Amino acid sequence: FAVGPGVERIGLDCLGQSRGPLSAISANRRRVRRIREAVRDFRPDAVVSFNDRTNVLAALALRDRSFPLIVSERSDPRSRAREPIWSALRRW
């Protein structure tokens, strides 16, 4: 679908594969920080997320703020069943 003219997509430039668990934790902390910074800098009306892991990171980034966050899971949760940490965070 086409994005409406009043919607701005802001890339956070933090994609990439992690080399191990510690690298993954560090990368996800950086992603949460970038989401918080983007919300602070751009002051959007709302944040919309459609990816299962990004939904979790956005919820963590905005957990202590009264800010509209809209999430929608666009994947089959059963495909992520072997990832207990992400599954627990998604349930939270």
Side-chain angles (χ1 to χ4, degrees):
F1 297 100
V3 176
V7 175
E8 181 179 0
R9 182 184 177 276
I10 300 167
L12 302 178
D13 191 32
C14 54
L15 292 176
Q17 292 292 327
S18 300
R19 289 181 229 116
L22 293 178
S23 173
I25 291 168
S26 177
N28 285 318
R29 289 182 64 177
R30 184 173 49 256
R31 291 176 181 119
V32 167
R33 188 176 64 250
R34 293 240 178 114
I35 293 168
R36 289 178 73 86
E37 290 169 354
V39 167
R40 183 195 67 221
D41 295 346
F42 292 96
R43 302 176 55 90
D45 295 325
V47 172
V48 181
S49 176
F50 292 103
N51 181 285
D52 57 345
R53 291 181 180 182
T54 306
N55 293 347
V56 169
L57 298 174
L60 289 170
L62 301 175
R63 72 188 176 281
D64 59 349
R65 299 175 185 222
S66 58
F67 190 86
L69 170 62
I70 302 161
V71 298
S72 180
E73 183 112 0
R74 298 294 186 201
S75 61
D76 182 353
R78 295 172 295 185
S79 69
R80 304 282 191 186
R82 295 184 316 246
E83 300 174 337
I85 292 172
W86 285 105
S87 293
L89 287 169
R90 280 179 42 242
R91 281 191 303 277
W92 167 78

